[in-house]
Amino acid sequence: MLFRQYPRLRFPSLIATSVLIAVVLLSACWGSDRITATPTPVATVQPAIAASPTATTPFSAPGVVEHQPLTLWIPAGFAAGIEPTIDPDIAAAIREFSAQSPDAPLEIILKAEEGEASILSYLRTGQQVAPSILPDILLVDARQLWQIVELGLAQPLTTTQLTHRTDFYPFVWDAVTLDGQIYGIPYFTTPLTLVYNPAKIATPPATWAELVELGRRFAFPAAGHNGYADDWLLLQYRNAGGAWDSTSAVNPNVLLKLFQAIEQARASGALSPVTMNYTSPSGVWSALLADDVQMGSLPANLYLGQRSMANQLLVASLPQLNGSDQTLASVYTFVILAKEADRKAQALALIDTLLDPTVHGTWAHLSSWLPTRLPALNAWPADDATLAQMRGLLEEAVALPGDPSFSELSKRLQLLFNGVMNGELSAEEAAKAYQ
């Protein structure tokens, strides 16, 4: 069986140029996985899967000093931001970093996020059979952070390592905090939004009651993911008065309020049983384009990736059960796996380079995600019509806790939600069934 290696983007010190980087990116065997300037967020194509490399003993010629690359793994969906032919500022920043680190030329490797060749799968396998293949730094969904910590691969960051990394939106630190310690430096984020059809809805609803009264269909990925509740359901549970942390008992009155709202929306037709068929945001997006639904809960990055459709669909704050503008945001974070002090220092220096507002903001903009720091968001093009809206959403955002304590809550909420939507449970029965 033949495997194709994931593209490696190497930035050797001193001789690294944008031409060289472009050749590595664009001339490698990409096939249908070629990086594009504006990745389609509806169905991100992942590069071909690589076989897990085995550890080898490097050959060193007498008198020759071997340089070990500083390795960064990133999800393939963020590849566009580091393509030098798209933005010279990012390429220049990486060249400058490499020139200052001649002993550790930078190597960036794209990885899948799901499946047998995902980042987590490589970490588990590599830790056991070939630790030398593991990277110095990861860019990873913060919801996977606790699993990396459980593997013993990540160590908490010290106060000294974090003092000069400021101006972050406060909520992003919740996503990278485990047992009171910070394990990552947040970089990308995307809040949930209401995407709606302005041809059918002149003014987006501000509250859940208004949404139900509109007489239009609303959707979210109601099928959940691998048995867990979608972010929209978790957010509504919080806004009904619930808490995500493991120390707070589940209040049956909160569950009753949540399931009564679901029951009411189902009875009115605002939440159709068809909603249960949507397993991902891309399914909701397709339903909006087909006018099967007129409103949907979608992450901002999906909408931002389709700016050309701004006249067909618009974005607003999600209507909440409690009438607030609060929203839930996903976070991607850098995690340092390097053990040696000098390589940790180099990893932190690279992250500092990438946190430069221009670099950070540009990479986020090209990837259709939002930066985790206000100065980087302010570096977005001033004529971007979504800028003010995105700034407002981030000011009202919260993030799921970094620890897995809410996972059991998420699974049980999804199970009971299924019963209410399928007509098998009343709101009262669902609230009591949790006990």
Side-chain angles (χ1 to χ4, degrees):
M1 181 178 294
L2 296 178
F3 293 91
R4 186 170 61 190
Q5 182 69 35
Y6 270 101
R8 292 173 176 253
L9 315 182
R10 178 169 291 186
F11 303 93
S13 62
L14 302 180
I15 62 171
T17 66
S18 60
V19 174
L20 173 61
I21 300 169
V23 168
V24 175
L25 279 166
L26 302 177
S27 300
C29 297
W30 284 80
S32 61
D33 300 324
R34 185 182 299 275
I35 295 176
T36 57
T38 306
T40 303
V42 175
T44 302
V45 179
Q46 301 288 1
I49 306 306
S52 297
T54 57
T56 59
T57 301
F59 170 79
S60 297
V64 175
V65 178
E66 292 291 328
H67 297 306
Q68 181 66 34
L70 187 72
T71 308
L72 166 64
W73 287 3
I74 67 170
F78 295 109
I82 56 169
E83 185 177 350
T85 56
I86 300 300
D87 188 81
D89 290 333
I90 295 177
I94 292 176
R95 283 201 309 273
E96 181 179 353
F97 170 80
S98 293
Q100 294 173 355
S101 306
D103 293 332
L106 177 61
E107 186 177 56
I108 301 177
I109 302 177
L110 309 183
K111 293 289 185 182
E113 289 199 78
E114 296 185 352
E116 294 182 359
S118 68
I119 288 177
L120 276 177
S121 293
Y122 266 108
L123 292 178
R124 292 191 183 100
T125 303
Q127 183 190 39
Q128 295 174 0
V129 301
S132 62
I133 73 166
L134 298 182
D136 297 288
I137 320 173
L138 292 172
L139 178 64
V140 68
D141 187 337
R143 299 183 201 201
Q144 298 176 338
L145 181 56
W146 67 270
Q147 298 178 69
I148 298 171
V149 173
E150 279 197 348
L151 288 172
L153 295 175
Q155 301 299 317
L157 297 172
T158 66
T159 303
T160 303
Q161 291 168 332
L162 293 169
T163 50
H164 60 294
R165 294 168 182 89
T166 58
D167 299 318
F168 286 83
Y169 286 100
F171 75 89
V172 300
W173 295 112
D174 292 335
V176 297
T177 301
L178 293 169
D179 297 325
Q181 295 183 303
I182 295 173
Y183 283 86
I185 298 177
Y187 198 71
F188 293 119
T189 186
T190 183
L192 285 181
T193 65
L194 179 74
V195 178
Y196 68 98
N197 185 342
K200 303 296 176 67
I201 300 172
T203 302
T207 66
W208 182 251
E210 290 180 13
L211 184 149
V212 173
E213 293 171 1
L214 269 179
R216 298 294 184 180
R217 292 185 296 277
F218 169 82
F220 69 100
H225 183 69
N226 293 332
Y228 293 94
D230 180 70
D231 284 357
W232 180 85
L233 188 60
L234 292 171
L235 177 62
Q236 298 311 321
Y237 170 76
R238 178 186 174 98
N239 285 325
W244 292 328
D245 63 272
S246 57
T247 60
S248 300
V250 174
N251 187 331
N253 292 327
V254 170
L255 292 174
L256 181 60
K257 181 178 180 180
L258 172 65
F259 291 129
Q260 283 178 336
I262 299 297
E263 198 173 51
Q264 180 186 18
R266 178 180 178 274
S268 70
L271 268 180
S272 166
V274 176
T275 304
M276 300 300 294
N277 296 332
Y278 301 136
T279 59
S280 67
S282 60
V284 177
W285 180 263
S286 298
L288 281 163
L289 294 179
D291 198 32
D292 294 333
V293 299
Q294 291 75 50
M295 300 173 285
S297 170
L298 291 171
N301 66 300
L302 198 156
Y303 179 81
L304 292 173
Q306 303 290 337
R307 292 180 180 89
S308 60
M309 295 185 176
N311 293 329
Q312 186 174 348
L313 297 171
L314 296 179
V315 66
S317 297
L318 271 174
Q320 308 293 340
L321 295 183
N322 63 358
S324 75
D325 291 330
Q326 191 175 75
T327 187
L328 174 59
S330 299
V331 175
Y332 274 71
T333 181
F334 286 119
V335 183
I336 297 175
L337 305 190
K339 303 298 184 184
E340 300 84 359
D342 60 335
R343 295 191 73 80
K344 281 186 178 180
Q346 290 169 337
L348 286 167
L350 173 62
I351 293 172
D352 281 344
T353 297
L354 298 176
L355 283 174
D356 172 84
T358 300
V359 173
H360 191 185
T362 301
W363 190 356
H365 195 263
L366 290 172
S367 301
S368 298
W369 280 66
L370 297 172
T372 52
R373 299 172 66 231
L374 179 58
L377 185 60
N378 289 338
W380 273 28
D383 59 353
D384 191 315
T386 66
L387 183 58
Q389 280 183 308
M390 295 301 114
R391 186 182 289 114
L393 287 168
L394 290 180
E395 290 172 353
E396 299 292 338
V398 294
L400 290 171
D403 65 81
S405 61
F406 69 91
S407 59
E408 183 62 26
L409 168 68
S410 179
K411 288 165 58 175
R412 296 185 70 180
L413 278 180
Q414 182 62 34
L415 185 63
L416 296 173
F417 169 79
N418 292 345
V420 174
M421 281 299 294
N422 293 331
E424 299 169 355
L425 294 173
S426 67
E428 291 77 10
E429 290 170 335
K432 291 179 181 178
Y434 193 95
Q435 305 305 311

